[in-house]
């Protein structure tokens, strides 16, 4: 199992390009939020609060939701 910090570092290497589809960027930010939540939980498990990680997770969830709301379903 990968630690939250290692996973966050790895996730950064897969950050979407500027011209990536909005849905892909939203999914990346949602994944980032989950990783940040795990990082905050790992910190709590060893007796350290991480308000920065927890706050960043909330912000990433909010941003992902805003992006997802902008995605217009394609006519299939």
């Amino acid at each position: 199992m990968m630690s939250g910090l290692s996973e966050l570092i790895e996730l950064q290497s897969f950050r979407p390009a500027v011209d990536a589809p909005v849905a892909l960027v939203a999914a990346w930010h949602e994944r980032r939020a989950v990783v940040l939540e795990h990082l905050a939980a790992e910190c709590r498990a060893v007796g350290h609060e991480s308000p920065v990680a927890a706050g960043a997770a909330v912000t990433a969830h909010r941003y992902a939701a805003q992006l997802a709301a902008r995605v217009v379903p394609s006519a299939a």
Side-chain angles (χ1 to χ4, degrees):
M1 185 162 110
M2 191 179 293
S3 76
L5 187 56
S6 296
E7 193 171 357
L8 187 60
I9 292 167
E10 183 177 312
L11 183 64
Q12 284 298 114
S13 68
F14 294 106
R15 187 179 187 111
V18 174
D19 60 347
V22 175
L24 179 68
V25 177
W28 184 87
H29 279 282
E30 186 59 34
R31 179 66 189 142
R32 180 174 170 264
V34 170
V35 170
L36 286 165
E37 287 173 344
H38 291 166
L39 181 59
E42 287 176 3
C43 290
R44 279 191 304 276
V46 295
H48 300 287
E49 282 299 315
S50 181
V52 173
V58 169
T59 301
H61 277 301
R62 187 180 315 121
Y63 188 61
Q66 290 171 349
L67 287 173
R70 289 179 31 195
V71 175
V72 178
S74 62

